[in-house]
Amino acid sequence: MKALLKALGGVTAVIGAQWGDEGKGKVTDILAGHFDVIARAAGGANAGHTIVVDGKKHIFHLLPAGSLHRDKPVVLGSGMVIHLPTLLGEIKTLEDAGIEIIDRLLISPAAHILFEFHKDIDGALEEKRTRGIGTTRRGIGPAYMDKAARTGIRMERLAENLKVYLDERAGDLRRVYGIAVNVDQELENLARAREKLRFTVVESLPALMADFLSRKKKILIEGAQATLLDIDHGTYPYVTSSSTTAAGALQGIALPPAALSSCIGVVKAYCTRVGSGDFLTEETGERGEGLRKRGGEYGATTGRPRRCGWLHLPDLKLSTAINGFTHLNITKLDVLDEEENIPLGVGTGLSGEASYETLPGWKTATAGITQFKKLPINAQKYIKFIEEFSGVPVSLIGTGPGREEIIVR
Ligand code: GDP
Ligand code: IMO
Ligand code: MG
C-alpha cells in the first residue's frame, strides 16, 4: 500500500471505466484513510455506492463512501445536483451510527438543489420516450436541464424564501407536463435542510480547494456514474446528464487539471449495465443469470437487476484514453471463480458483434485473497491479459465486498 500511495501522489480521482457500479465506493473507502480530504464532484442520488465494513453494509448516494472516516473533511462539489431529503437521510444514518459529519461537511454554493418536481419530470419524460433510457428516476436529467437553462437554484440560495420561484415553476410544470408540484412539501424540505445544513455551505469552492492544495492536503475524489455514461463521451442518449470522467471530476470540484496526480480506473472483472442502451458483450441467458446471482448484481439505488456480460477491452481502452488512467482497480474477481472459461471482448466484427478471446477459468475460490501470488495462475493470467491490452498497471484487485478483501500490488 505504501508504494501505491506514493505513486498516487496528492490528488487522486477514482473513476468508473464502464457503465457504473464497478465498485468505486469500496476503493474510495479503502484509500480514504490515507487521504486528508474526501470529495464527490458530480452527479446526484442516481449513484449508489455500497461498502461493507466489519460485515455491515453502508450505502451512499450523495456523500462519498469515504465519509465513514471520522476526522476527514468531506466536500460536495459544484458539479453535483443535491436532493436535500436524501442528503439529510444519509447524514442521519451516519449520526445514528455514532459518526458525526456536519462539522466536517463542506458543500459548494454552486451545487444545484434537486427538487421533488425534478423527479416527476424525469418520470414524465421517461413515459414519453418510445425507448426509455431507463433512468433511475431520481430527477437527474431535469435538474441538469435547469442548470443548463440557468433556471436552477443553487445551494447558495438555501437561506432564501423560495415560495415565489416554486409557485411559478408549479404553474409552468402544470402546463407543460401536467405535473402537480407540491409547493408546501418543497418548502418544508428546504426549511429542514436549512436548519441542518446552514453552516455547511462554503463561501467559495475554488478558494476552499486552493487552500487545501496550498497546505499540501491529499485529496481523493470519488467519481460517480462512469465513463460510458458520460454526457459527452458515453453511449448517448443512453447516458446520464453529468460529466463522469476525470476531467469532469476536476471541473466539478474546482481543481485545476494539472493538480491531478493520478487517476484510478475502476473496472469490474466482467461487465454490467442498468438501464437501456447497447451492451455488445451482454449475456442474456443462463451465464448472465449466473453472473448476476454470484455478483449480487441488483442496483443499490433502484433494486433493478443489472444486465450482465463480459469485459469489453476496446471500451476499457476508450475509457483509458479519455481519463488517462494511471492505475486500474479490477473488482469482483471472485465472482468469476466458478466459470469454466471467461470470454473477453477484444474487438468488433463486421456486423457490429463482439469478437472474443476466451481465457480458461480457475475454478478455485479467490474470495478474500490479499496477495497476488496466492491467486490461481489462471486468475493471474486473466489480470495480466487486461493489463497488457489496456497498457495500465492493475494495482488493486477486489476479491470480495469487504474492506479487507483486496490485493494491493
Ligand atoms: P459503485 O457504484 O461503483 O460504488 O459500485 P456499487 O457499490 O454500486 O456496486 C458494487 C457492488 O459490488 C457492491 O455491492 C459492493 O459491495 C460489491 N463489491 C465491490 N468490490 C467487490 C469485490 O471485489 N468482490 C465482490 N464479490 N463484491 C464486491
Ligand atoms: P454509480 O455511481 C449505474 C444509469 C441509469 C440509466 C442512465 C441514466 O452507482 O456507479 P440517470 O438517472 O442518471 O438519468 O440515468 O444512467 N446510471 C447508473 N448506472 N450506476 C450508477 O451510478 C448510475 N447512475 C446512473 O441506470 O441507464
Ligand atoms: Mg453503484
Side-chain angles (χ1 to χ4, degrees):
M1 180 64 105
K2 230 174 149 188
L4 173 65
L5 289 170
K6 191 156 180 252
L8 290 179
V11 181
T12 298
V14 172
I15 300 292
Q18 296 154 314
W19 282 292
D21 304 326
E22 296 91 349
K24 298 174 291 291
K26 177 182 158 182
V27 66
T28 302
D29 169 58
I30 290 170
L31 291 175
H34 306 278
F35 280 74
D36 303 310
V37 180
I38 321 298
R40 257 286 298 268
N46 47 348
H49 299 179
T50 301
I51 61 169
V52 179
V53 182
D54 300 328
K56 195 174 176 298
K57 214 184 224 190
H58 304 261
I59 303 179
F60 295 92
H61 297 290
L62 289 166
L63 294 172
S67 299
L68 285 190
H69 297 267
R70 291 169 188 276
D71 50 342
K72 317 268 174 186
V74 167
V75 185
L76 302 185
S78 306
M80 290 189 72
V81 288
I82 300 177
H83 181 245
L84 296 167
T86 302
L87 180 58
L88 294 188
E90 271 177 51
I91 291 169
K92 182 164 186 318
T93 304
L94 281 185
E95 286 175 349
D96 289 349
I99 300 165
E100 282 303 323
I101 174 106
I102 283 293
D103 290 345
R104 55 193 173 95
L105 183 59
L106 303 157
I107 305 179
S108 169
H112 278 249
I113 295 176
L114 187 150
F115 292 99
E116 298 301 320
F117 67 72
H118 287 122
K119 295 195 216 170
D120 297 332
I121 304 172
D122 199 352
L125 289 174
E126 274 290 89
E127 300 304 327
K128 272 204 337 212
R129 290 180 180 116
T130 33
R131 187 180 178 202
I133 290 171
T135 74
T136 59
R137 300 197 180 216
R138 291 296 185 274
I140 304 302
Y144 284 110
M145 277 159 64
D146 267 333
K147 172 175 172 169
R150 289 146 292 173
T151 47
I153 299 285
R154 311 204 299 181
M155 287 300 287
E156 64 201 354
R157 297 183 64 188
L158 186 61
E160 285 180 31
N161 182 347
L162 294 170
K163 185 168 181 347
V164 173
Y165 171 82
L166 287 166
D167 281 338
E168 200 182 311
R169 292 307 299 270
D172 291 346
L173 295 177
R174 191 180 317 108
R175 276 192 300 279
V176 178
Y177 300 104
I179 290 170
V181 177
N182 186 340
V183 173
D184 290 338
Q185 179 68 58
E186 303 278 16
L187 286 169
E188 194 185 315
N189 290 349
L190 283 164
R192 286 224 181 102
R194 194 175 299 134
E195 195 185 314
K196 187 88 186 171
L197 301 175
R198 221 168 0 166
F199 301 113
T200 63
V201 182
V202 302
E203 196 134 306
S204 153
L205 184 70
L208 176 78
M209 299 311 289
D211 179 56
F212 282 137
L213 275 188
S214 74
R215 291 191 287 130
K216 302 260 183 301
K217 297 292 179 196
K218 289 186 71 176
I219 301 165
L220 181 65
I221 314 167
E222 178 185 38
Q225 290 71 57
T227 308
L228 303 180
L229 288 172
D230 181 77
I231 182 77
D232 295 307
H233 306 296
T235 46
Y236 192 90
Y238 301 100
V239 295
T240 188
S241 302
S242 58
S243 296
T244 60
T245 58
L250 291 162
Q251 167 76 359
I253 202 67
L255 280 174
L260 192 70
S261 51
S262 57
C263 182
I264 301 175
V266 188
V267 187
K268 209 175 274 193
Y270 46 102
C271 192
T272 61
R273 176 166 205 177
V274 216
S276 318
D278 282 357
F279 182 173
L280 219 52
T281 52
E282 182 171 11
E283 282 281 356
T284 49
E286 241 169 64
R287 286 197 86 175
E289 187 55 44
L291 288 173
R292 186 173 308 118
K293 228 169 104 192
R294 284 191 293 282
E297 297 296 354
Y298 297 88
T301 299
T302 58
R304 289 180 290 176
R306 296 175 183 148
R307 299 159 64 193
C308 295
W310 309 110
L311 198 51
H312 189 56
L313 292 172
D315 282 349
L316 177 56
K317 269 199 163 163
L318 176 76
S319 284
T320 302
I322 293 168
N323 296 294
F325 295 142
T326 55
H327 303 74
L328 295 182
N329 172 199
I330 304 285
T331 65
K332 305 188 93 161
L333 186 71
D334 54 297
V335 174
L336 299 179
D337 284 353
E338 287 173 36
E339 301 293 333
E340 202 68 54
N341 56 60
I342 305 161
L344 273 159
V346 290
T348 312
L350 285 178
S351 40
E353 79 288 4
S355 59
Y356 291 98
E357 184 127 350
T358 301
L359 298 194
W362 44 90
K363 304 280 275 176
T364 314
T366 63
I369 290 181
T370 55
Q371 283 176 285
F372 188 73
K373 60 174 193 273
K374 296 230 164 118
L375 283 178
I377 198 74
N378 282 352
Q380 295 189 18
K381 282 188 181 159
Y382 186 71
I383 297 290
K384 284 182 179 156
F385 191 91
I386 298 169
E387 200 160 52
E388 268 162 35
F389 199 107
S390 65
V392 186
V394 174
S395 303
L396 298 136
I397 302 162
T399 56
R403 213 183 228 178
E404 60 298 326
E405 291 174 308
I406 196 150
I407 296 168
V408 183
R409 285 166 91 201

PDB file of all heavy atoms in Angstrom, residues 127-145:
ATOM      1  N   GLU A 127     -41.769   8.305 -19.593  1.00  0.00           N
ATOM      2  CA  GLU A 127     -43.021   7.749 -20.131  1.00  0.00           C
ATOM      3  C   GLU A 127     -43.221   8.154 -21.592  1.00  0.00           C
ATOM      4  O   GLU A 127     -43.778   7.415 -22.377  1.00  0.00           O
ATOM      5  CB  GLU A 127     -44.238   8.245 -19.316  1.00  0.00           C
ATOM      6  CG  GLU A 127     -44.224   7.876 -17.824  1.00  0.00           C
ATOM      7  CD  GLU A 127     -44.098   6.375 -17.584  1.00  0.00           C
ATOM      8  OE1 GLU A 127     -44.620   5.604 -18.410  1.00  0.00           O
ATOM      9  OE2 GLU A 127     -43.462   5.986 -16.577  1.00  0.00           O
ATOM     10  N   LYS A 128     -42.757   9.349 -21.933  1.00  0.00           N
ATOM     11  CA  LYS A 128     -42.977   9.868 -23.297  1.00  0.00           C
ATOM     12  C   LYS A 128     -42.044   9.242 -24.332  1.00  0.00           C
ATOM     13  O   LYS A 128     -42.330   9.271 -25.521  1.00  0.00           O
ATOM     14  CB  LYS A 128     -42.759  11.390 -23.299  1.00  0.00           C
ATOM     15  CG  LYS A 128     -44.014  12.160 -22.952  1.00  0.00           C
ATOM     16  CD  LYS A 128     -44.120  13.583 -23.423  1.00  0.00           C
ATOM     17  CE  LYS A 128     -42.908  14.377 -23.751  1.00  0.00           C
ATOM     18  NZ  LYS A 128     -43.070  15.804 -23.455  1.00  0.00           N
ATOM     19  N   ARG A 129     -40.916   8.703 -23.874  1.00  0.00           N
ATOM     20  CA  ARG A 129     -39.928   8.179 -24.830  1.00  0.00           C
ATOM     21  C   ARG A 129     -40.393   6.849 -25.411  1.00  0.00           C
ATOM     22  O   ARG A 129     -40.930   6.019 -24.676  1.00  0.00           O
ATOM     23  CB  ARG A 129     -38.577   7.956 -24.131  1.00  0.00           C
ATOM     24  CG  ARG A 129     -37.904   9.253 -23.759  1.00  0.00           C
ATOM     25  CD  ARG A 129     -36.562   9.027 -23.056  1.00  0.00           C
ATOM     26  NE  ARG A 129     -35.979  10.310 -22.719  1.00  0.00           N
ATOM     27  CZ  ARG A 129     -35.751  10.753 -21.475  1.00  0.00           C
ATOM     28  NH1 ARG A 129     -36.003   9.980 -20.442  1.00  0.00           N
ATOM     29  NH2 ARG A 129     -35.249  11.951 -21.272  1.00  0.00           N
ATOM     30  N   THR A 130     -40.149   6.642 -26.730  1.00  0.00           N
ATOM     31  CA  THR A 130     -40.527   5.341 -27.302  1.00  0.00           C
ATOM     32  C   THR A 130     -39.628   4.252 -26.722  1.00  0.00           C
ATOM     33  O   THR A 130     -40.089   3.177 -26.383  1.00  0.00           O
ATOM     34  CB  THR A 130     -40.424   5.352 -28.843  1.00  0.00           C
ATOM     35  OG1 THR A 130     -39.361   6.217 -29.217  1.00  0.00           O
ATOM     36  CG2 THR A 130     -41.700   5.826 -29.477  1.00  0.00           C
ATOM     37  N   ARG A 131     -38.341   4.541 -26.617  1.00  0.00           N
ATOM     38  CA  ARG A 131     -37.469   3.613 -25.901  1.00  0.00           C
ATOM     39  C   ARG A 131     -36.881   4.365 -24.724  1.00  0.00           C
ATOM     40  O   ARG A 131     -36.058   5.262 -24.901  1.00  0.00           O
ATOM     41  CB  ARG A 131     -36.349   3.103 -26.824  1.00  0.00           C
ATOM     42  CG  ARG A 131     -35.527   2.010 -26.171  1.00  0.00           C
ATOM     43  CD  ARG A 131     -34.430   1.516 -27.086  1.00  0.00           C
ATOM     44  NE  ARG A 131     -33.623   0.498 -26.413  1.00  0.00           N
ATOM     45  CZ  ARG A 131     -32.388   0.183 -26.758  1.00  0.00           C
ATOM     46  NH1 ARG A 131     -31.808   0.799 -27.775  1.00  0.00           N
ATOM     47  NH2 ARG A 131     -31.727  -0.746 -26.101  1.00  0.00           N
ATOM     48  N   GLY A 132     -37.358   4.030 -23.543  1.00  0.00           N
ATOM     49  CA  GLY A 132     -36.908   4.743 -22.346  1.00  0.00           C
ATOM     50  C   GLY A 132     -35.412   4.596 -22.143  1.00  0.00           C
ATOM     51  O   GLY A 132     -34.812   3.612 -22.581  1.00  0.00           O
ATOM     52  N   ILE A 133     -34.814   5.574 -21.484  1.00  0.00           N
ATOM     53  CA  ILE A 133     -33.382   5.490 -21.165  1.00  0.00           C
ATOM     54  C   ILE A 133     -33.190   4.514 -20.009  1.00  0.00           C
ATOM     55  O   ILE A 133     -32.156   3.870 -19.891  1.00  0.00           O
ATOM     56  CB  ILE A 133     -32.859   6.904 -20.802  1.00  0.00           C
ATOM     57  CG1 ILE A 133     -32.833   7.776 -22.062  1.00  0.00           C
ATOM     58  CG2 ILE A 133     -31.455   6.826 -20.180  1.00  0.00           C
ATOM     59  CD1 ILE A 133     -32.554   9.239 -21.789  1.00  0.00           C
ATOM     60  N   GLY A 134     -34.265   4.377 -19.216  1.00  0.00           N
ATOM     61  CA  GLY A 134     -34.122   3.547 -18.018  1.00  0.00           C
ATOM     62  C   GLY A 134     -33.391   4.314 -16.942  1.00  0.00           C
ATOM     63  O   GLY A 134     -32.497   3.798 -16.275  1.00  0.00           O
ATOM     64  N   THR A 135     -33.757   5.586 -16.783  1.00  0.00           N
ATOM     65  CA  THR A 135     -33.098   6.411 -15.764  1.00  0.00           C
ATOM     66  C   THR A 135     -33.452   5.881 -14.376  1.00  0.00           C
ATOM     67  O   THR A 135     -34.367   5.066 -14.221  1.00  0.00           O
ATOM     68  CB  THR A 135     -33.534   7.893 -15.826  1.00  0.00           C
ATOM     69  OG1 THR A 135     -34.858   8.005 -15.302  1.00  0.00           O
ATOM     70  CG2 THR A 135     -33.484   8.448 -17.238  1.00  0.00           C
ATOM     71  N   THR A 136     -32.749   6.383 -13.393  1.00  0.00           N
ATOM     72  CA  THR A 136     -33.037   5.995 -12.015  1.00  0.00           C
ATOM     73  C   THR A 136     -34.281   6.722 -11.485  1.00  0.00           C
ATOM     74  O   THR A 136     -34.697   6.484 -10.365  1.00  0.00           O
ATOM     75  CB  THR A 136     -31.853   6.357 -11.104  1.00  0.00           C
ATOM     76  OG1 THR A 136     -31.633   7.772 -11.206  1.00  0.00           O
ATOM     77  CG2 THR A 136     -30.582   5.622 -11.526  1.00  0.00           C
ATOM     78  N   ARG A 137     -34.815   7.635 -12.279  1.00  0.00           N
ATOM     79  CA  ARG A 137     -35.971   8.475 -11.888  1.00  0.00           C
ATOM     80  C   ARG A 137     -35.672   9.290 -10.631  1.00  0.00           C
ATOM     81  O   ARG A 137     -36.564   9.597  -9.849  1.00  0.00           O
ATOM     82  CB  ARG A 137     -37.228   7.628 -11.723  1.00  0.00           C
ATOM     83  CG  ARG A 137     -37.580   6.908 -13.028  1.00  0.00           C
ATOM     84  CD  ARG A 137     -38.991   6.416 -13.048  1.00  0.00           C
ATOM     85  NE  ARG A 137     -39.238   5.752 -14.335  1.00  0.00           N
ATOM     86  CZ  ARG A 137     -40.373   5.799 -14.998  1.00  0.00           C
ATOM     87  NH1 ARG A 137     -41.388   6.472 -14.523  1.00  0.00           N
ATOM     88  NH2 ARG A 137     -40.517   5.174 -16.148  1.00  0.00           N
ATOM     89  N   ARG A 138     -34.428   9.629 -10.453  1.00  0.00           N
ATOM     90  CA  ARG A 138     -34.044  10.460  -9.315  1.00  0.00           C
ATOM     91  C   ARG A 138     -34.031  11.943  -9.686  1.00  0.00           C
ATOM     92  O   ARG A 138     -33.565  12.779  -8.920  1.00  0.00           O
ATOM     93  CB  ARG A 138     -32.661  10.046  -8.794  1.00  0.00           C
ATOM     94  CG  ARG A 138     -32.625   8.682  -8.136  1.00  0.00           C
ATOM     95  CD  ARG A 138     -33.498   8.674  -6.875  1.00  0.00           C
ATOM     96  NE  ARG A 138     -33.385   7.410  -6.152  1.00  0.00           N
ATOM     97  CZ  ARG A 138     -34.112   6.323  -6.404  1.00  0.00           C
ATOM     98  NH1 ARG A 138     -35.018   6.343  -7.358  1.00  0.00           N
ATOM     99  NH2 ARG A 138     -33.953   5.222  -5.701  1.00  0.00           N
ATOM    100  N   GLY A 139     -34.501  12.261 -10.903  1.00  0.00           N
ATOM    101  CA  GLY A 139     -34.622  13.672 -11.282  1.00  0.00           C
ATOM    102  C   GLY A 139     -33.343  14.283 -11.835  1.00  0.00           C
ATOM    103  O   GLY A 139     -33.224  15.512 -11.956  1.00  0.00           O
ATOM    104  N   ILE A 140     -32.391  13.418 -12.188  1.00  0.00           N
ATOM    105  CA  ILE A 140     -31.056  13.901 -12.565  1.00  0.00           C
ATOM    106  C   ILE A 140     -31.094  14.747 -13.844  1.00  0.00           C
ATOM    107  O   ILE A 140     -30.635  15.900 -13.843  1.00  0.00           O
ATOM    108  CB  ILE A 140     -30.089  12.702 -12.734  1.00  0.00           C
ATOM    109  CG1 ILE A 140     -30.055  11.847 -11.457  1.00  0.00           C
ATOM    110  CG2 ILE A 140     -28.714  13.182 -13.148  1.00  0.00           C
ATOM    111  CD1 ILE A 140     -29.646  12.566 -10.196  1.00  0.00           C
ATOM    112  N   GLY A 141     -31.650  14.173 -14.923  1.00  0.00           N
ATOM    113  CA  GLY A 141     -31.701  14.903 -16.198  1.00  0.00           C
ATOM    114  C   GLY A 141     -32.386  16.256 -16.032  1.00  0.00           C
ATOM    115  O   GLY A 141     -31.831  17.303 -16.408  1.00  0.00           O
ATOM    116  N   PRO A 142     -33.590  16.285 -15.459  1.00  0.00           N
ATOM    117  CA  PRO A 142     -34.287  17.574 -15.292  1.00  0.00           C
ATOM    118  C   PRO A 142     -33.531  18.578 -14.409  1.00  0.00           C
ATOM    119  O   PRO A 142     -33.595  19.785 -14.653  1.00  0.00           O
ATOM    120  CB  PRO A 142     -35.618  17.156 -14.660  1.00  0.00           C
ATOM    121  CG  PRO A 142     -35.855  15.774 -15.221  1.00  0.00           C
ATOM    122  CD  PRO A 142     -34.495  15.138 -15.248  1.00  0.00           C
ATOM    123  N   ALA A 143     -32.799  18.114 -13.404  1.00  0.00           N
ATOM    124  CA  ALA A 143     -32.033  19.069 -12.582  1.00  0.00           C
ATOM    125  C   ALA A 143     -30.911  19.692 -13.409  1.00  0.00           C
ATOM    126  O   ALA A 143     -30.657  20.895 -13.327  1.00  0.00           O
ATOM    127  CB  ALA A 143     -31.467  18.369 -11.349  1.00  0.00           C
ATOM    128  N   TYR A 144     -30.263  18.866 -14.237  1.00  0.00           N
ATOM    129  CA  TYR A 144     -29.219  19.424 -15.109  1.00  0.00           C
ATOM    130  C   TYR A 144     -29.822  20.253 -16.246  1.00  0.00           C
ATOM    131  O   TYR A 144     -29.165  21.154 -16.765  1.00  0.00           O
ATOM    132  CB  TYR A 144     -28.308  18.317 -15.655  1.00  0.00           C
ATOM    133  CG  TYR A 144     -27.313  17.807 -14.623  1.00  0.00           C
ATOM    134  CD1 TYR A 144     -27.424  16.540 -14.076  1.00  0.00           C
ATOM    135  CD2 TYR A 144     -26.256  18.618 -14.193  1.00  0.00           C
ATOM    136  CE1 TYR A 144     -26.516  16.079 -13.130  1.00  0.00           C
ATOM    137  CE2 TYR A 144     -25.348  18.163 -13.255  1.00  0.00           C
ATOM    138  CZ  TYR A 144     -25.477  16.890 -12.722  1.00  0.00           C
ATOM    139  OH  TYR A 144     -24.573  16.454 -11.795  1.00  0.00           O
ATOM    140  N   MET A 145     -31.064  19.939 -16.640  1.00  0.00           N
ATOM    141  CA  MET A 145     -31.743  20.801 -17.627  1.00  0.00           C
ATOM    142  C   MET A 145     -31.874  22.206 -17.050  1.00  0.00           C
ATOM    143  O   MET A 145     -31.591  23.201 -17.711  1.00  0.00           O
ATOM    144  CB  MET A 145     -33.153  20.249 -17.946  1.00  0.00           C
ATOM    145  CG  MET A 145     -33.182  19.141 -18.982  1.00  0.00           C
ATOM    146  SD  MET A 145     -34.700  18.122 -18.890  1.00  0.00           S
ATOM    147  CE  MET A 145     -35.960  19.309 -19.314  1.00  0.00           C
TER     148      MET A 145
END
